[in-house]
Amino acid sequence: MGRLVIVSNRVPVPEKGGIAPAGGLAVALKAALEERGGIWMGWSGKSSGDTDPGPLSLQEQGNITYALTDLTGKDVEEYYFGFANRVLWPLCHYRLDLAEYGRKEMAGYFRVNRFFAHRLAPLLRPDDIIWVHDYHLIPLAAELRQMGIKNRIGFFLHIPWPPADILFTMPVHEEIMRGLAAYDLVGFQTDYDLENFAGCLRREEMGDALGDGRFIANDKVFKGGAYGISIETAAFAEFARKAVSHSTVNKARLSIEDRDLIIGVDRLDYSKGLTQRIDAFERFVVNNPGHQRKVTYLQITPKSRSEVPEYEQMQRTVAEQAGRVNGALGTVDWVPIRYMNRSVSRPVLAGLYRLAKVGLVTPLRDGMNLVAKEYVAAQNPDDPGVLILSRFAGAARELKGALLVNPYDVEGTANSLGRALNMPLDERRERWRRMMDYLLEHDVSRWCDDFMADLKAA
Ligand code: ADQ
């Protein structure tokens, strides 16, 4: 059995002492790496400024080698902040208005992918299987192929894939599509993303779907499929069960008194629909005087990518909006919205999810959304809360027991909040059971195994 080589923009290197990194994805991929032995390569997150990045930093942990490279300041600006986060991210989340195309950034993106390929190639053995992750690294396989690398290479996209009319606004869409066609297997989160991808191939007769998960483009046949990512369901449920005695969770319980808790947990990102969500909560409270003073909405939102101007602006907008609603609706003994800009540990997060009667997950567009799955896994089986989920999250294709909402419809989301808070126990249990059974079967290890099995067979 060949080794597994994972390449992703950032690498969750375990801290000294071998503490496992947080998050199901890191855990699942690490388990797959440990089983086969292998390499996890990516950017160190550091800039070498104007000087060339030094040699790869190699760290051995058991049979896994973590291989990290620095990037120059220009690379970070053009590849990471520029093309990845100001072109591909907004575009794949249907935000044409926020995409800023620039030749320099596009060139930087392809240049850094070539650089990654050149750094990776000397580490490879002929029977290694390579698994590349996410939108930062789409051209990597094409670059490796150019260097004569014949290994099996798979790609998984964590974010949505847009329809042709959106993708084709990007001047280099053909190169990006050709980049994907260079893989042996291309994985998307949902069947909708896969359909969009097939539509993009067909639109300009670049290629086509051949059936049985096979596609053709550039005279090359390759495989494509939908592999919905998931969480470590059983482990997360166990965290939540134990978290009832965690001091931070206890403090939170005391501070909400006997009010109903609604929880939102998202990275600060315009795709997450935070302003529409706060509007919906405000509408709910205004429309339902009986719930006033009886409900608290906790929004936990660590800052992300604050170097990108849109994110800086959004931070101010969301904080001001929450402040305005609290000013308008709050009383001396009731703060309707609590807004936190901090990361919390997995056990505390699990405990807070379990305290909440409603998980409010309303992205405008999301590849999957793991928060929705974590909220379900964390519930008390005897008295579970209700998941309100955007129909535009990939998770809506799987979590059939959720109350699905259109996040652009503020009134509709407000009505769903009322329905969730008044839902009878029997219905809550029935909806939760369906979702939990699904998640126990479709956890992150299954996602990893399914992808790997198809890659080996591709
Ligand atoms: P994200 O956009 O980051 O991921 P999501 O899937 O919700 O979105 O994952 C976020 C993760 O961060 C969750 O595990 C959550 O618990 C954690 N998190 C968020 N806020 C936190 C906080 N304050 N403290 C601690 N942890 C916090 C991208 C795509 C998604 C896709 C994932 C995985 O955008 O659509 O589901 O990758 O493929």
Side-chain angles (χ1 to χ4, degrees), residues 158 189 267 272 300 302 342 344 366-370 374:
H158 290 256
Q189 297 274 24
R267 272 186 314 102
K272 303 293 183 185
I300 307 181
R342 215 165 309 128
V344 294
D366 219 327
M368 177 53 62
N369 194 299
L370 295 179
E374 290 165 359

Side-chain angles (χ1 to χ4, degrees), residues 70 84 129 203 424:
D70 295 351
I129 289 198
R203 176 65 69 85

